[in-house]
PDB file of all heavy atoms in Angstrom:
ATOM      1  N   ASN F 241       0.821  -1.225  -0.002  1.00 98.00           N
ATOM      2  CA  ASN F 241       0.000   0.003   0.009  1.00 98.00           C
ATOM      3  C   ASN F 241       0.856   1.260   0.009  1.00 98.00           C
ATOM      4  O   ASN F 241       0.431   2.310  -0.494  1.00 98.00           O
ATOM      5  CB  ASN F 241      -0.930   0.006   1.235  1.00 98.00           C
ATOM      6  CG  ASN F 241      -2.212  -0.746   1.002  1.00 98.00           C
ATOM      7  OD1 ASN F 241      -2.598  -1.046  -0.117  1.00 98.00           O
ATOM      8  ND2 ASN F 241      -2.881  -1.103   2.089  1.00 98.00           N
ATOM      9  N   LEU F 242       2.058   1.171   0.579  1.00 98.00           N
ATOM     10  CA  LEU F 242       2.948   2.313   0.640  1.00 98.00           C
ATOM     11  C   LEU F 242       3.560   2.652  -0.721  1.00 98.00           C
ATOM     12  O   LEU F 242       3.893   3.815  -0.979  1.00 98.00           O
ATOM     13  CB  LEU F 242       4.048   2.066   1.665  1.00 98.00           C
ATOM     14  CG  LEU F 242       3.642   1.935   3.122  1.00 98.00           C
ATOM     15  CD1 LEU F 242       4.847   1.547   3.972  1.00 98.00           C
ATOM     16  CD2 LEU F 242       3.019   3.229   3.625  1.00 98.00           C
ATOM     17  N   VAL F 243       3.716   1.660  -1.573  1.00 98.00           N
ATOM     18  CA  VAL F 243       4.442   1.847  -2.822  1.00 98.00           C
ATOM     19  C   VAL F 243       3.547   1.859  -4.045  1.00 98.00           C
ATOM     20  O   VAL F 243       3.937   2.352  -5.105  1.00 98.00           O
ATOM     21  CB  VAL F 243       5.544   0.795  -2.986  1.00 98.00           C
ATOM     22  CG1 VAL F 243       6.574   0.910  -1.847  1.00 98.00           C
ATOM     23  CG2 VAL F 243       4.975  -0.613  -3.052  1.00 98.00           C
ATOM     24  N   GLU F 244       2.332   1.291  -3.927  1.00 98.00           N
ATOM     25  CA  GLU F 244       1.457   1.250  -5.067  1.00 98.00           C
ATOM     26  C   GLU F 244       0.537   2.455  -5.132  1.00 98.00           C
ATOM     27  O   GLU F 244       0.259   3.085  -4.123  1.00 98.00           O
ATOM     28  CB  GLU F 244       0.635  -0.043  -5.036  1.00 98.00           C
ATOM     29  CG  GLU F 244       1.462  -1.315  -5.230  1.00 98.00           C
ATOM     30  CD  GLU F 244       0.620  -2.567  -5.295  1.00 98.00           C
ATOM     31  OE1 GLU F 244      -0.641  -2.461  -5.168  1.00 98.00           O
ATOM     32  OE2 GLU F 244       1.198  -3.667  -5.471  1.00 98.00           O
ATOM     33  N   ARG F 245       0.103   2.786  -6.334  1.00 97.00           N
ATOM     34  CA  ARG F 245      -0.759   3.928  -6.546  1.00 97.00           C
ATOM     35  C   ARG F 245      -2.106   3.720  -5.887  1.00 97.00           C
ATOM     36  O   ARG F 245      -2.693   2.629  -5.927  1.00 97.00           O
ATOM     37  CB  ARG F 245      -0.932   4.173  -8.037  1.00 97.00           C
ATOM     38  CG  ARG F 245      -1.755   5.403  -8.400  1.00 97.00           C
ATOM     39  CD  ARG F 245      -1.778   5.612  -9.875  1.00 97.00           C
ATOM     40  NE  ARG F 245      -0.410   5.849 -10.395  1.00 97.00           N
ATOM     41  CZ  ARG F 245      -0.140   6.005 -11.685  1.00 97.00           C
ATOM     42  NH1 ARG F 245      -1.105   5.951 -12.587  1.00 97.00           N
ATOM     43  NH2 ARG F 245       1.106   6.210 -12.057  1.00 97.00           N
ATOM     44  N   LYS F 246      -2.636   4.777  -5.271  1.00 97.00           N
ATOM     45  CA  LYS F 246      -3.977   4.695  -4.635  1.00 97.00           C
ATOM     46  C   LYS F 246      -5.071   4.599  -5.700  1.00 97.00           C
ATOM     47  O   LYS F 246      -4.887   4.980  -6.862  1.00 97.00           O
ATOM     48  CB  LYS F 246      -4.238   5.926  -3.758  1.00 97.00           C
ATOM     49  CG  LYS F 246      -3.349   6.003  -2.524  1.00 97.00           C
ATOM     50  CD  LYS F 246      -3.739   7.228  -1.672  1.00 97.00           C
ATOM     51  CE  LYS F 246      -2.926   7.270  -0.412  1.00 97.00           C
ATOM     52  NZ  LYS F 246      -3.266   8.472   0.456  1.00 97.00           N
ATOM     53  N   ARG F 247      -6.205   4.053  -5.285  1.00 97.00           N
ATOM     54  CA  ARG F 247      -7.347   3.999  -6.186  1.00 97.00           C
ATOM     55  C   ARG F 247      -7.851   5.421  -6.451  1.00 97.00           C
ATOM     56  O   ARG F 247      -7.838   6.287  -5.579  1.00 97.00           O
ATOM     57  CB  ARG F 247      -8.459   3.177  -5.573  1.00 97.00           C
ATOM     58  CG  ARG F 247      -8.053   1.733  -5.325  1.00 97.00           C
ATOM     59  CD  ARG F 247      -9.226   0.899  -4.804  1.00 97.00           C
ATOM     60  NE  ARG F 247      -8.768  -0.442  -4.409  1.00 97.00           N
ATOM     61  CZ  ARG F 247      -9.586  -1.423  -4.026  1.00 97.00           C
ATOM     62  NH1 ARG F 247     -10.895  -1.191  -3.961  1.00 97.00           N
ATOM     63  NH2 ARG F 247      -9.090  -2.603  -3.695  1.00 97.00           N
ATOM     64  N   CYS F 248      -8.285   5.630  -7.678  1.00 96.00           N
ATOM     65  CA  CYS F 248      -8.755   6.968  -8.060  1.00 96.00           C
ATOM     66  C   CYS F 248     -10.117   7.265  -7.391  1.00 96.00           C
ATOM     67  O   CYS F 248     -10.938   6.370  -7.212  1.00 96.00           O
ATOM     68  CB  CYS F 248      -8.928   7.055  -9.581  1.00 96.00           C
ATOM     69  SG  CYS F 248      -7.387   6.874 -10.485  1.00 96.00           S
ATOM     70  N   ILE F 249     -10.303   8.509  -7.013  1.00 94.00           N
ATOM     71  CA  ILE F 249     -11.590   8.929  -6.459  1.00 94.00           C
ATOM     72  C   ILE F 249     -12.656   8.677  -7.512  1.00 94.00           C
ATOM     73  O   ILE F 249     -12.517   9.019  -8.706  1.00 94.00           O
ATOM     74  CB  ILE F 249     -11.557  10.419  -6.089  1.00 94.00           C
ATOM     75  CG1 ILE F 249     -10.554  10.652  -4.952  1.00 94.00           C
ATOM     76  CG2 ILE F 249     -12.944  10.899  -5.688  1.00 94.00           C
ATOM     77  CD1 ILE F 249     -10.355  12.104  -4.591  1.00 94.00           C
ATOM     78  N   GLY F 250     -13.737   8.041  -7.110  1.00 94.00           N
ATOM     79  CA  GLY F 250     -14.806   7.650  -8.033  1.00 94.00           C
ATOM     80  C   GLY F 250     -14.687   6.213  -8.464  1.00 94.00           C
ATOM     81  O   GLY F 250     -15.608   5.684  -9.116  1.00 94.00           O
ATOM     82  N   ASN F 251     -13.549   5.589  -8.174  1.00 94.00           N
ATOM     83  CA  ASN F 251     -13.330   4.174  -8.581  1.00 94.00           C
ATOM     84  C   ASN F 251     -12.765   3.352  -7.438  1.00 94.00           C
ATOM     85  O   ASN F 251     -12.008   2.409  -7.647  1.00 94.00           O
ATOM     86  CB  ASN F 251     -12.379   4.106  -9.779  1.00 94.00           C
ATOM     87  CG  ASN F 251     -13.016   4.577 -11.045  1.00 94.00           C
ATOM     88  OD1 ASN F 251     -13.842   3.889 -11.675  1.00 94.00           O
ATOM     89  ND2 ASN F 251     -12.673   5.796 -11.459  1.00 94.00           N
ATOM     90  N   VAL F 252     -13.155   3.698  -6.207  1.00 97.00           N
ATOM     91  CA  VAL F 252     -12.686   2.933  -5.050  1.00 97.00           C
ATOM     92  C   VAL F 252     -13.385   1.587  -4.960  1.00 97.00           C
ATOM     93  O   VAL F 252     -12.773   0.566  -4.734  1.00 97.00           O
ATOM     94  CB  VAL F 252     -12.904   3.723  -3.753  1.00 97.00           C
ATOM     95  CG1 VAL F 252     -12.555   2.899  -2.537  1.00 97.00           C
ATOM     96  CG2 VAL F 252     -12.031   4.991  -3.778  1.00 97.00           C
ATOM     97  N   THR F 253     -14.711   1.579  -5.173  1.00 96.00           N
ATOM     98  CA  THR F 253     -15.452   0.294  -5.145  1.00 96.00           C
ATOM     99  C   THR F 253     -15.138  -0.450  -6.436  1.00 96.00           C
ATOM    100  O   THR F 253     -15.294   0.091  -7.543  1.00 96.00           O
ATOM    101  CB  THR F 253     -16.981   0.580  -5.064  1.00 96.00           C
ATOM    102  OG1 THR F 253     -17.245   1.369  -3.926  1.00 96.00           O
ATOM    103  CG2 THR F 253     -17.755  -0.759  -4.945  1.00 96.00           C
ATOM    104  N   PRO F 254     -14.707  -1.700  -6.338  1.00 91.00           N
ATOM    105  CA  PRO F 254     -14.312  -2.433  -7.562  1.00 91.00           C
ATOM    106  C   PRO F 254     -15.467  -2.642  -8.532  1.00 91.00           C
ATOM    107  O   PRO F 254     -16.625  -2.801  -8.144  1.00 91.00           O
ATOM    108  CB  PRO F 254     -13.846  -3.792  -6.993  1.00 91.00           C
ATOM    109  CG  PRO F 254     -13.566  -3.556  -5.539  1.00 91.00           C
ATOM    110  CD  PRO F 254     -14.519  -2.468  -5.135  1.00 91.00           C
ATOM    111  N   GLU F 255     -15.161  -2.651  -9.806  1.00 92.00           N
ATOM    112  CA  GLU F 255     -16.165  -2.952 -10.823  1.00 92.00           C
ATOM    113  C   GLU F 255     -16.701  -4.347 -10.599  1.00 92.00           C
ATOM    114  O   GLU F 255     -15.966  -5.291 -10.307  1.00 92.00           O
ATOM    115  CB  GLU F 255     -15.549  -2.818 -12.217  1.00 92.00           C
ATOM    116  CG  GLU F 255     -16.557  -2.931 -13.362  1.00 92.00           C
ATOM    117  CD  GLU F 255     -15.970  -2.600 -14.703  1.00 92.00           C
ATOM    118  OE1 GLU F 255     -14.739  -2.321 -14.776  1.00 92.00           O
ATOM    119  OE2 GLU F 255     -16.741  -2.637 -15.700  1.00 92.00           O
ATOM    120  N   GLY F 256     -17.990  -4.483 -10.742  1.00 92.00           N
ATOM    121  CA  GLY F 256     -18.648  -5.760 -10.516  1.00 92.00           C
ATOM    122  C   GLY F 256     -19.202  -5.947  -9.104  1.00 92.00           C
ATOM    123  O   GLY F 256     -19.927  -6.885  -8.839  1.00 92.00           O
ATOM    124  N   TYR F 257     -18.845  -5.015  -8.213  1.00 94.00           N
ATOM    125  CA  TYR F 257     -19.349  -5.037  -6.838  1.00 94.00           C
ATOM    126  C   TYR F 257     -20.522  -4.052  -6.699  1.00 94.00           C
ATOM    127  O   TYR F 257     -20.541  -3.022  -7.386  1.00 94.00           O
ATOM    128  CB  TYR F 257     -18.286  -4.623  -5.835  1.00 94.00           C
ATOM    129  CG  TYR F 257     -17.311  -5.737  -5.473  1.00 94.00           C
ATOM    130  CD1 TYR F 257     -16.303  -6.141  -6.332  1.00 94.00           C
ATOM    131  CD2 TYR F 257     -17.406  -6.408  -4.250  1.00 94.00           C
ATOM    132  CE1 TYR F 257     -15.401  -7.136  -6.019  1.00 94.00           C
ATOM    133  CE2 TYR F 257     -16.512  -7.412  -3.905  1.00 94.00           C
ATOM    134  CZ  TYR F 257     -15.530  -7.776  -4.811  1.00 94.00           C
ATOM    135  OH  TYR F 257     -14.641  -8.775  -4.491  1.00 94.00           O
ATOM    136  N   PRO F 258     -21.480  -4.316  -5.809  1.00 96.00           N
ATOM    137  CA  PRO F 258     -22.532  -3.326  -5.564  1.00 96.00           C
ATOM    138  C   PRO F 258     -21.897  -2.017  -5.117  1.00 96.00           C
ATOM    139  O   PRO F 258     -20.941  -2.028  -4.345  1.00 96.00           O
ATOM    140  CB  PRO F 258     -23.325  -3.964  -4.387  1.00 96.00           C
ATOM    141  CG  PRO F 258     -23.064  -5.446  -4.484  1.00 96.00           C
ATOM    142  CD  PRO F 258     -21.660  -5.554  -5.006  1.00 96.00           C
ATOM    143  N   GLY F 259     -22.401  -0.907  -5.620  1.00 96.00           N
ATOM    144  CA  GLY F 259     -21.877   0.399  -5.274  1.00 96.00           C
ATOM    145  C   GLY F 259     -20.832   0.918  -6.231  1.00 96.00           C
ATOM    146  O   GLY F 259     -20.312   2.049  -6.038  1.00 96.00           O
ATOM    147  N   TYR F 260     -20.490   0.156  -7.258  1.00 95.00           N
ATOM    148  CA  TYR F 260     -19.495   0.629  -8.222  1.00 95.00           C
ATOM    149  C   TYR F 260     -19.968   1.941  -8.857  1.00 95.00           C
ATOM    150  O   TYR F 260     -21.102   2.059  -9.290  1.00 95.00           O
ATOM    151  CB  TYR F 260     -19.263  -0.428  -9.327  1.00 95.00           C
ATOM    152  CG  TYR F 260     -18.359   0.031 -10.445  1.00 95.00           C
ATOM    153  CD1 TYR F 260     -17.004   0.281 -10.201  1.00 95.00           C
ATOM    154  CD2 TYR F 260     -18.862   0.279 -11.724  1.00 95.00           C
ATOM    155  CE1 TYR F 260     -16.174   0.704 -11.231  1.00 95.00           C
ATOM    156  CE2 TYR F 260     -18.035   0.705 -12.744  1.00 95.00           C
ATOM    157  CZ  TYR F 260     -16.694   0.939 -12.485  1.00 95.00           C
ATOM    158  OH  TYR F 260     -15.846   1.375 -13.480  1.00 95.00           O
ATOM    159  N   GLY F 261     -19.109   2.930  -8.857  1.00 91.00           N
ATOM    160  CA  GLY F 261     -19.438   4.241  -9.394  1.00 91.00           C
ATOM    161  C   GLY F 261     -20.349   5.044  -8.485  1.00 91.00           C
ATOM    162  O   GLY F 261     -20.877   6.076  -8.894  1.00 91.00           O
ATOM    163  N   GLY F 262     -20.478   4.593  -7.220  1.00 91.00           N
ATOM    164  CA  GLY F 262     -21.298   5.327  -6.262  1.00 91.00           C
ATOM    165  C   GLY F 262     -22.779   5.010  -6.348  1.00 91.00           C
ATOM    166  O   GLY F 262     -23.607   5.688  -5.705  1.00 91.00           O
ATOM    167  N   HIS F 263     -23.159   4.008  -7.137  1.00 95.00           N
ATOM    168  CA  HIS F 263     -24.578   3.651  -7.308  1.00 95.00           C
ATOM    169  C   HIS F 263     -24.907   2.427  -6.438  1.00 95.00           C
ATOM    170  O   HIS F 263     -24.613   1.292  -6.793  1.00 95.00           O
ATOM    171  CB  HIS F 263     -24.859   3.362  -8.780  1.00 95.00           C
ATOM    172  CG  HIS F 263     -24.527   4.492  -9.690  1.00 95.00           C
ATOM    173  ND1 HIS F 263     -25.133   5.724  -9.632  1.00 95.00           N
ATOM    174  CD2 HIS F 263     -23.563   4.592 -10.667  1.00 95.00           C
ATOM    175  CE1 HIS F 263     -24.622   6.522 -10.563  1.00 95.00           C
ATOM    176  NE2 HIS F 263     -23.658   5.873 -11.199  1.00 95.00           N
ATOM    177  N   TRP F 264     -25.506   2.713  -5.304  1.00 97.00           N
ATOM    178  CA  TRP F 264     -25.803   1.631  -4.335  1.00 97.00           C
ATOM    179  C   TRP F 264     -27.181   1.052  -4.578  1.00 97.00           C
ATOM    180  O   TRP F 264     -28.086   1.760  -5.026  1.00 97.00           O
ATOM    181  CB  TRP F 264     -25.689   2.187  -2.907  1.00 97.00           C
ATOM    182  CG  TRP F 264     -24.309   2.623  -2.593  1.00 97.00           C
ATOM    183  CD1 TRP F 264     -23.834   3.902  -2.577  1.00 97.00           C
ATOM    184  CD2 TRP F 264     -23.181   1.749  -2.303  1.00 97.00           C
ATOM    185  NE1 TRP F 264     -22.485   3.896  -2.302  1.00 97.00           N
ATOM    186  CE2 TRP F 264     -22.061   2.592  -2.120  1.00 97.00           C
ATOM    187  CE3 TRP F 264     -23.031   0.399  -2.178  1.00 97.00           C
ATOM    188  CZ2 TRP F 264     -20.819   2.104  -1.820  1.00 97.00           C
ATOM    189  CZ3 TRP F 264     -21.801  -0.108  -1.858  1.00 97.00           C
ATOM    190  CH2 TRP F 264     -20.700   0.729  -1.695  1.00 97.00           C
ATOM    191  N   PRO F 265     -27.362  -0.223  -4.302  1.00 97.00           N
ATOM    192  CA  PRO F 265     -28.684  -0.823  -4.426  1.00 97.00           C
ATOM    193  C   PRO F 265     -29.714  -0.066  -3.536  1.00 97.00           C
ATOM    194  O   PRO F 265     -29.298   0.604  -2.568  1.00 97.00           O
ATOM    195  CB  PRO F 265     -28.487  -2.258  -3.921  1.00 97.00           C
ATOM    196  CG  PRO F 265     -27.032  -2.533  -4.113  1.00 97.00           C
ATOM    197  CD  PRO F 265     -26.349  -1.213  -3.901  1.00 97.00           C
ATOM    198  N   GLU F 266     -30.949  -0.189  -3.877  1.00 98.00           N
ATOM    199  CA  GLU F 266     -31.996   0.528  -3.134  1.00 98.00           C
ATOM    200  C   GLU F 266     -31.952   0.293  -1.636  1.00 98.00           C
ATOM    201  O   GLU F 266     -31.781  -0.845  -1.180  1.00 98.00           O
ATOM    202  CB  GLU F 266     -33.389   0.085  -3.649  1.00 98.00           C
ATOM    203  CG  GLU F 266     -34.547   0.785  -2.974  1.00 98.00           C
ATOM    204  CD  GLU F 266     -35.890   0.186  -3.388  1.00 98.00           C
ATOM    205  OE1 GLU F 266     -35.895  -0.803  -4.144  1.00 98.00           O
ATOM    206  OE2 GLU F 266     -36.926   0.696  -2.917  1.00 98.00           O
ATOM    207  N   PHE F 267     -32.083   1.369  -0.902  1.00 98.00           N
ATOM    208  CA  PHE F 267     -32.162   1.279   0.545  1.00 98.00           C
ATOM    209  C   PHE F 267     -33.590   0.967   0.979  1.00 98.00           C
ATOM    210  O   PHE F 267     -34.542   1.609   0.519  1.00 98.00           O
ATOM    211  CB  PHE F 267     -31.701   2.610   1.188  1.00 98.00           C
ATOM    212  CG  PHE F 267     -31.997   2.693   2.674  1.00 98.00           C
ATOM    213  CD1 PHE F 267     -31.134   2.092   3.588  1.00 98.00           C
ATOM    214  CD2 PHE F 267     -33.117   3.359   3.115  1.00 98.00           C
ATOM    215  CE1 PHE F 267     -31.401   2.165   4.950  1.00 98.00           C
ATOM    216  CE2 PHE F 267     -33.387   3.463   4.486  1.00 98.00           C
ATOM    217  CZ  PHE F 267     -32.525   2.847   5.407  1.00 98.00           C
ATOM    218  N   ARG F 268     -33.725  -0.021   1.869  1.00 98.00           N
ATOM    219  CA  ARG F 268     -35.014  -0.334   2.479  1.00 98.00           C
ATOM    220  C   ARG F 268     -34.803  -0.548   3.973  1.00 98.00           C
ATOM    221  O   ARG F 268     -33.977  -1.362   4.378  1.00 98.00           O
ATOM    222  CB  ARG F 268     -35.604  -1.604   1.870  1.00 98.00           C
ATOM    223  CG  ARG F 268     -35.901  -1.559   0.397  1.00 98.00           C
ATOM    224  CD  ARG F 268     -36.484  -2.859  -0.088  1.00 98.00           C
ATOM    225  NE  ARG F 268     -36.397  -3.028  -1.519  1.00 98.00           N
ATOM    226  CZ  ARG F 268     -36.583  -4.176  -2.150  1.00 98.00           C
ATOM    227  NH1 ARG F 268     -36.824  -5.293  -1.439  1.00 98.00           N
ATOM    228  NH2 ARG F 268     -36.475  -4.249  -3.464  1.00 98.00           N
ATOM    229  N   PRO F 269     -35.561   0.164   4.783  1.00 97.00           N
ATOM    230  CA  PRO F 269     -35.444  -0.019   6.242  1.00 97.00           C
ATOM    231  C   PRO F 269     -35.795  -1.450   6.602  1.00 97.00           C
ATOM    232  O   PRO F 269     -36.600  -2.094   5.908  1.00 97.00           O
ATOM    233  CB  PRO F 269     -36.428   0.972   6.826  1.00 97.00           C
ATOM    234  CG  PRO F 269     -36.689   1.975   5.741  1.00 97.00           C
ATOM    235  CD  PRO F 269     -36.524   1.235   4.458  1.00 97.00           C
ATOM    236  N   PRO F 270     -35.218  -1.986   7.655  1.00 98.00           N
ATOM    237  CA  PRO F 270     -35.528  -3.362   8.050  1.00 98.00           C
ATOM    238  C   PRO F 270     -36.965  -3.558   8.494  1.00 98.00           C
ATOM    239  O   PRO F 270     -37.593  -2.625   9.034  1.00 98.00           O
ATOM    240  CB  PRO F 270     -34.563  -3.622   9.217  1.00 98.00           C
ATOM    241  CG  PRO F 270     -34.247  -2.269   9.743  1.00 98.00           C
ATOM    242  CD  PRO F 270     -34.272  -1.363   8.573  1.00 98.00           C
ATOM    243  N   GLN F 271     -37.520  -4.736   8.250  1.00 97.00           N
ATOM    244  CA  GLN F 271     -38.830  -5.098   8.723  1.00 97.00           C
ATOM    245  C   GLN F 271     -38.709  -5.648  10.150  1.00 97.00           C
ATOM    246  O   GLN F 271     -37.647  -6.010  10.604  1.00 97.00           O
ATOM    247  CB  GLN F 271     -39.467  -6.122   7.788  1.00 97.00           C
ATOM    248  CG  GLN F 271     -39.591  -5.665   6.343  1.00 97.00           C
ATOM    249  CD  GLN F 271     -40.439  -4.403   6.194  1.00 97.00           C
ATOM    250  OE1 GLN F 271     -41.597  -4.409   6.613  1.00 97.00           O
ATOM    251  NE2 GLN F 271     -39.869  -3.347   5.618  1.00 97.00           N
ATOM    252  N   GLU F 272     -39.859  -5.763  10.793  1.00 95.00           N
ATOM    253  CA  GLU F 272     -39.850  -6.172  12.197  1.00 95.00           C
ATOM    254  C   GLU F 272     -39.260  -7.561  12.416  1.00 95.00           C
ATOM    255  O   GLU F 272     -38.627  -7.818  13.425  1.00 95.00           O
ATOM    256  CB  GLU F 272     -41.296  -6.161  12.730  1.00 95.00           C
ATOM    257  CG  GLU F 272     -41.399  -6.405  14.231  1.00 95.00           C
ATOM    258  CD  GLU F 272     -42.816  -6.265  14.731  1.00 95.00           C
ATOM    259  OE1 GLU F 272     -43.671  -5.724  14.011  1.00 95.00           O
ATOM    260  OE2 GLU F 272     -43.063  -6.685  15.875  1.00 95.00           O
ATOM    261  N   THR F 273     -39.420  -8.420  11.404  1.00 97.00           N
ATOM    262  CA  THR F 273     -38.926  -9.799  11.532  1.00 97.00           C
ATOM    263  C   THR F 273     -37.493  -9.954  11.059  1.00 97.00           C
ATOM    264  O   THR F 273     -36.926 -11.062  11.179  1.00 97.00           O
ATOM    265  CB  THR F 273     -39.819 -10.768  10.756  1.00 97.00           C
ATOM    266  OG1 THR F 273     -39.869 -10.336   9.384  1.00 97.00           O
ATOM    267  CG2 THR F 273     -41.212 -10.805  11.331  1.00 97.00           C
ATOM    268  N   ASP F 274     -36.878  -8.897  10.540  1.00 98.00           N
ATOM    269  CA  ASP F 274     -35.492  -8.964  10.046  1.00 98.00           C
ATOM    270  C   ASP F 274     -34.511  -9.034  11.221  1.00 98.00           C
ATOM    271  O   ASP F 274     -34.830  -8.566  12.304  1.00 98.00           O
ATOM    272  CB  ASP F 274     -35.197  -7.788   9.144  1.00 98.00           C
ATOM    273  CG  ASP F 274     -35.932  -7.823   7.807  1.00 98.00           C
ATOM    274  OD1 ASP F 274     -36.463  -8.893   7.490  1.00 98.00           O
ATOM    275  OD2 ASP F 274     -36.021  -6.794   7.146  1.00 98.00           O
ATOM    276  N   SER F 275     -33.345  -9.544  10.940  1.00 98.00           N
ATOM    277  CA  SER F 275     -32.285  -9.644  11.941  1.00 98.00           C
ATOM    278  C   SER F 275     -31.251  -8.560  11.698  1.00 98.00           C
ATOM    279  O   SER F 275     -30.748  -8.410  10.610  1.00 98.00           O
ATOM    280  CB  SER F 275     -31.636 -11.005  11.907  1.00 98.00           C
ATOM    281  OG  SER F 275     -30.655 -11.153  12.906  1.00 98.00           O
ATOM    282  N   ARG F 276     -30.962  -7.783  12.751  1.00 98.00           N
ATOM    283  CA  ARG F 276     -29.944  -6.770  12.683  1.00 98.00           C
ATOM    284  C   ARG F 276     -29.060  -6.881  13.951  1.00 98.00           C
ATOM    285  O   ARG F 276     -29.421  -7.547  14.908  1.00 98.00           O
ATOM    286  CB  ARG F 276     -30.555  -5.371  12.582  1.00 98.00           C
ATOM    287  CG  ARG F 276     -31.313  -5.138  11.276  1.00 98.00           C
ATOM    288  CD  ARG F 276     -30.395  -5.123  10.083  1.00 98.00           C
ATOM    289  NE  ARG F 276     -31.078  -4.756   8.847  1.00 98.00           N
ATOM    290  CZ  ARG F 276     -31.636  -5.614   8.008  1.00 98.00           C
ATOM    291  NH1 ARG F 276     -31.611  -6.920   8.280  1.00 98.00           N
ATOM    292  NH2 ARG F 276     -32.243  -5.197   6.903  1.00 98.00           N
ATOM    293  N   CYS F 277     -27.924  -6.190  13.934  1.00 98.00           N
ATOM    294  CA  CYS F 277     -26.972  -6.290  15.041  1.00 98.00           C
ATOM    295  C   CYS F 277     -26.493  -4.913  15.446  1.00 98.00           C
ATOM    296  O   CYS F 277     -27.020  -3.879  14.994  1.00 98.00           O
ATOM    297  CB  CYS F 277     -25.786  -7.170  14.637  1.00 98.00           C
ATOM    298  SG  CYS F 277     -24.814  -6.469  13.270  1.00 98.00           S
ATOM    299  N   SER F 278     -25.508  -4.853  16.312  1.00 97.00           N
ATOM    300  CA  SER F 278     -25.017  -3.584  16.834  1.00 97.00           C
ATOM    301  C   SER F 278     -24.060  -2.865  15.885  1.00 97.00           C
ATOM    302  O   SER F 278     -23.640  -1.773  16.155  1.00 97.00           O
ATOM    303  CB  SER F 278     -24.319  -3.801  18.190  1.00 97.00           C
ATOM    304  OG  SER F 278     -23.265  -4.782  18.051  1.00 97.00           O
ATOM    305  N   CYS F 279     -23.712  -3.522  14.764  1.00 97.00           N
ATOM    306  CA  CYS F 279     -22.759  -2.940  13.824  1.00 97.00           C
ATOM    307  C   CYS F 279     -23.463  -2.233  12.701  1.00 97.00           C
ATOM    308  O   CYS F 279     -24.104  -2.888  11.850  1.00 97.00           O
ATOM    309  CB  CYS F 279     -21.821  -4.013  13.248  1.00 97.00           C
ATOM    310  SG  CYS F 279     -20.699  -3.409  11.977  1.00 97.00           S
ATOM    311  N   PRO F 280     -23.412  -0.905  12.618  1.00 97.00           N
ATOM    312  CA  PRO F 280     -24.096  -0.177  11.534  1.00 97.00           C
ATOM    313  C   PRO F 280     -23.567  -0.547  10.152  1.00 97.00           C
ATOM    314  O   PRO F 280     -24.332  -0.501   9.179  1.00 97.00           O
ATOM    315  CB  PRO F 280     -23.845   1.306  11.867  1.00 97.00           C
ATOM    316  CG  PRO F 280     -22.653   1.312  12.765  1.00 97.00           C
ATOM    317  CD  PRO F 280     -22.715   0.037  13.527  1.00 97.00           C
ATOM    318  N   GLY F 281     -22.316  -0.906  10.063  1.00 98.00           N
ATOM    319  CA  GLY F 281     -21.730  -1.261   8.774  1.00 98.00           C
ATOM    320  C   GLY F 281     -22.359  -2.515   8.186  1.00 98.00           C
ATOM    321  O   GLY F 281     -22.650  -2.587   6.994  1.00 98.00           O
ATOM    322  N   LEU F 282     -22.584  -3.514   9.034  1.00 98.00           N
ATOM    323  CA  LEU F 282     -23.222  -4.759   8.559  1.00 98.00           C
ATOM    324  C   LEU F 282     -24.717  -4.522   8.304  1.00 98.00           C
ATOM    325  O   LEU F 282     -25.275  -5.045   7.345  1.00 98.00           O
ATOM    326  CB  LEU F 282     -23.030  -5.854   9.584  1.00 98.00           C
ATOM    327  CG  LEU F 282     -21.585  -6.283   9.847  1.00 98.00           C
ATOM    328  CD1 LEU F 282     -21.527  -7.459  10.836  1.00 98.00           C
ATOM    329  CD2 LEU F 282     -20.872  -6.645   8.568  1.00 98.00           C
TER     330      LEU F 282
END
């Protein structure tokens, strides 16, 4: 990481992954029966 070039702004999320180009799948709040945890990232 110290010697290789950083990822360009706008291309941090790899192509082929959700969120590529800043376009995230639709957000939907959890339903009452869904499972969630204490980690906001997950």
Side-chain angles (χ1 to χ4, degrees):
N241 275 342
L242 295 175
V243 299
E244 292 184 359
R245 183 174 298 176
K246 291 183 178 180
R247 299 184 187 186
C248 296
I249 295 174
N251 288 285
V252 174
T253 305
E255 187 172 1
Y257 279 76
Y260 174 68
H263 304 295
W264 296 101
E266 179 188 3
F267 169 81
R268 298 179 198 165
Q271 302 299 304
E272 187 175 347
T273 56
D274 291 344
S275 183
R276 294 294 186 267
C277 64
S278 56
C279 175
L282 297 183

